[in-house]
Amino acid sequence: MQNSSNLLLDIRDLEVSYGAIKALRKVSLQVMPGELVCLIGANGAGKSTLLKSIAGLLPSQGSIHFSGQCIRSQPAHSLVSQGLALVPEGRGIFGEMSVFENLQMGAYHRHDKAGIKQDIEHAYSLFPRLAERQQQPAGTLSGGEQQMVAIARALMSKPRLLLLDEPSMGLAPLLVKKILEVIATINSEGVSVLLVEQNANAALSLASRGYVMEHGEITLQDSAQNLLHNPAVKDAYLGG
Ligand code: ATP
């Protein structure tokens, strides 16, 4: 793998513990500019822990570089303004606020009013359903619509790297397809993506590379095509 300065995200030997439980062990993972990389693994493997540590929400040991800068131990809000956005599992939207207000909140650190307006329009073009429901309290939206708000809100921070934690969780198959298509569009517009997905088949079909995590360790990394055809991956994650 290339040296840190050519990489957008470069994680080396990352370790995270919850008290006596070691959730991440010597995790190394890289994302190159423009890439869509997926991370798959069983429940409890440590995928959310990894995304939260990258986003500055958990203390960790080891190194995390973003665009060549050491970001480990930096607070989450500072990482957002540097171009790193997390869409957490469970979404974390503001239920009492309207869709429009949620999108505005995503741009809280920005002052370019015209750019913000333009980006809200762009979010509505990616998710026309949100344009129809812009004044509706986000908490009253369906699960799929709430996921759209969470992704659209993250885009409002103008990320260079989007961390997505199981965006298709709990959604009907048609909506899963729609959300994953929009993620591919976002990536084609220049936003790099690190995607955690239970839906391994769909995720590997979108990604250029993938990592497999088991019990807090990266056990496999390869091109997405090779992982899709790897017998061990097929057995464990792709339904045989
Ligand atoms: P899932 O696919 O089910 O979301 P995951 O791969 O994202 O799983 P994590 O949520 O990162 O896994 O959890 C990794 C391990 O750390 C699990 O054993 C989990 O029980 C443990 N863990 C996670 N959060 C905490 C916490 N706040 N306190 C203690 N242990 C935790």
Side-chain angles (χ1 to χ4, degrees):
M1 189 52 74
Q2 310 170 40
N3 70 32
S4 238
S5 56
N6 299 325
L7 297 165
L8 184 59
L9 180 70
D10 188 11
I11 298 171
R12 309 262 167 170
D13 296 330
L14 200 71
E15 307 244 329
V16 173
S17 298
Y18 297 106
I21 301 168
K22 203 156 214 185
L24 296 185
R25 299 161 193 269
K26 298 231 171 264
V27 168
S28 294
L29 176 149
Q30 286 79 33
V31 179
M32 289 183 266
E35 262 195 316
L36 194 165
V37 173
C38 77
L39 173 63
I40 58 178
N43 291 123
K47 306 177 300 295
S48 300
T49 299
L50 178 59
L51 293 195
K52 284 183 200 159
S53 344
I54 301 169
L57 299 172
L58 283 175
S60 57
Q61 299 198 305
S63 80
I64 310 177
H65 285 81
F66 181 57
S67 276
Q69 305 290 317
C70 171
I71 58 161
R72 192 178 62 81
S73 315
Q74 284 193 27
H77 63 85
S78 140
L79 297 178
V80 173
S81 46
Q82 290 174 54
L84 208 158
L86 168 68
V87 179
E89 198 177 8
R91 302 168 192 136
I93 60 169
F94 303 110
E96 308 275 293
M97 291 186 183
S98 69
V99 168
F100 177 73
E101 288 164 337
N102 266 274
L103 298 195
Q104 281 185 316
M105 288 297 287
Y108 72 93
H109 66 285
R110 295 174 56 186
H111 304 291
D112 55 325
K113 270 194 177 162
I116 293 172
K117 190 165 178 280
Q118 200 176 349
D119 288 342
I120 290 181
E121 289 308 319
H122 182 55
Y124 288 156
S125 73
L126 289 172
F127 298 111
R129 187 79 67 87
L130 298 186
E132 294 161 17
R133 287 164 167 68
Q134 45 187 295
Q135 297 311 330
Q136 190 171 324
T140 64
L141 297 170
S142 73
E145 291 162 352
Q146 292 192 19
Q147 187 58 265
M148 293 176 196
V149 173
I151 296 173
R153 189 183 61 185
L155 287 180
M156 291 305 300
S157 68
K158 277 205 159 309
R160 284 180 289 153
L161 177 62
L162 192 58
L163 308 172
L164 291 162
D165 199 351
E166 303 202 15
S168 74
M169 172 113 93
L171 305 185
L174 260 183
L175 211 46
V176 171
K177 190 164 174 277
K178 168 76 188 147
I179 293 269
L180 293 176
E181 277 170 10
V182 174
I183 292 167
T185 303
I186 292 166
N187 177 242
S188 73
E189 292 175 347
V191 181
S192 306
V193 175
L194 178 56
L195 170 66
V196 165
E197 252 306 325
Q198 286 283 339
N199 200 331
N201 216 327
L204 286 168
S205 306
L206 286 187
S208 54
R209 288 190 306 118
Y211 291 80
V212 177
M213 182 177 260
E214 286 170 22
H215 306 298
E217 291 181 76
I218 299 290
T219 52
L220 259 180
Q221 57 172 305
D222 209 334
S223 71
Q225 277 308 310
N226 286 350
L227 289 175
L228 271 171
H229 296 107
N230 180 313
V233 174
K234 275 188 181 171
D235 280 351
Y237 305 106
L238 304 175

